[in-house]
Amino acid sequence: YVRRTFGLAMNREDTYLMGFSMGGFGALHTAFQFPETFGKTAALSSALIHHEVAEMKPDGGKDGKGGNDVANYAYFRECFGEPSKLLESDSNPETLVKKIKAGTLKTSDGSKAIMPEIFMACGTEDFLLEPNRAFHAFLEEEGVKHVYMESKGIHDMNFWQEYAAKFVPMMFGE
């Protein structure tokens, strides 16, 4: 829409995504799903709960994992498909990263996808800190270049504004 309407961000090198919380997950996933469109992505306090969702059971099961404080099994099933198959699916950003690295994720013109530049941050008092650290560790293990930062902060606009102000100049090469 932006390209057609305003003539801006006409190529992947000029098209970036940023999101906070659930939007941070979405920014990462969308950039990995459509790397021919997005050259850079910033994800702040990302809701990287795909491993938690994959363990959920429809009735709560023996382990009582029928949902979490945000939503229930039915909601996550609608978002991601069958939770037990989530980790192997393209709804998992880790799967998409591996496909980009392996050269098996193709762009719309059939060429191999290029990994977008990745910027991530999470507050040390944020309830999503551990999943963000885990995704950072995953990217390191996969040898994927990225920027990851942590500092004091909770899951709020104060933290997100601080890191948006840090990442925007980095993303624009300033």
Side-chain angles (χ1 to χ4, degrees):
Y1 174 83
V2 170
R3 287 177 178 165
R4 285 189 320 268
T5 305
F6 302 108
L8 298 173
M10 298 303 288
N11 56 51
R12 80 180 293 276
E13 291 76 25
D14 296 327
T15 308
Y16 313 151
L17 283 172
M18 179 182 286
F20 317 138
S21 191
M22 184 170 44
F25 177 94
L28 290 168
H29 180 269
T30 302
F32 300 148
Q33 183 82 41
F34 303 102
E36 73 275 13
T37 302
F38 301 101
K40 299 178 186 181
T41 185
L44 310 177
S45 306
S46 300
L48 292 159
I49 61 170
H50 46 285
H51 289 277
E52 176 187 339
V53 171
E55 294 176 6
M56 290 181 177
K57 308 289 183 230
D59 60 359
K62 293 186 286 187
D63 56 9
K65 293 192 174 189
N68 61 25
D69 291 341
V70 176
N72 63 20
Y73 176 89
Y75 171 81
F76 288 119
R77 188 171 195 274
E78 188 175 327
C79 291
F80 297 113
E82 177 55 44
S84 65
K85 297 179 181 175
L86 171 58
L87 297 183
E88 293 79 34
S89 78
D90 285 353
S91 293
N92 178 357
E94 294 169 3
T95 298
L96 295 172
V97 165
K98 289 177 181 178
K99 285 183 173 184
I100 293 170
K101 281 189 59 197
T104 58
L105 185 69
K106 304 296 182 189
T107 64
S108 55
D109 68 2
S111 60
K112 289 183 182 178
I114 299 169
M115 189 72 67
E117 290 183 42
I118 306 162
F119 300 83
M120 293 179 61
C122 195
T124 53
E125 290 74 39
D126 192 313
F127 70 96
L128 290 170
L129 179 61
E130 291 311 316
N132 279 266
R133 284 179 171 168
F135 193 74
H136 163 60
F138 164 78
L139 292 173
E140 285 192 327
E141 289 167 11
E142 291 293 320
V144 175
K145 183 181 171 193
H146 65 288
V147 173
Y148 178 79
M149 296 182 175
E150 289 181 7
S151 68
K152 185 170 177 53
I154 62 171
H155 199 79
D156 70 358
M157 283 304 298
N158 292 322
F159 183 85
W160 302 332
Q161 287 174 336
E162 176 186 346
Y163 278 89
K166 289 179 182 184
F167 286 157
V168 167
M170 287 182 194
M171 293 171 83
F172 283 89
E174 297 173 12

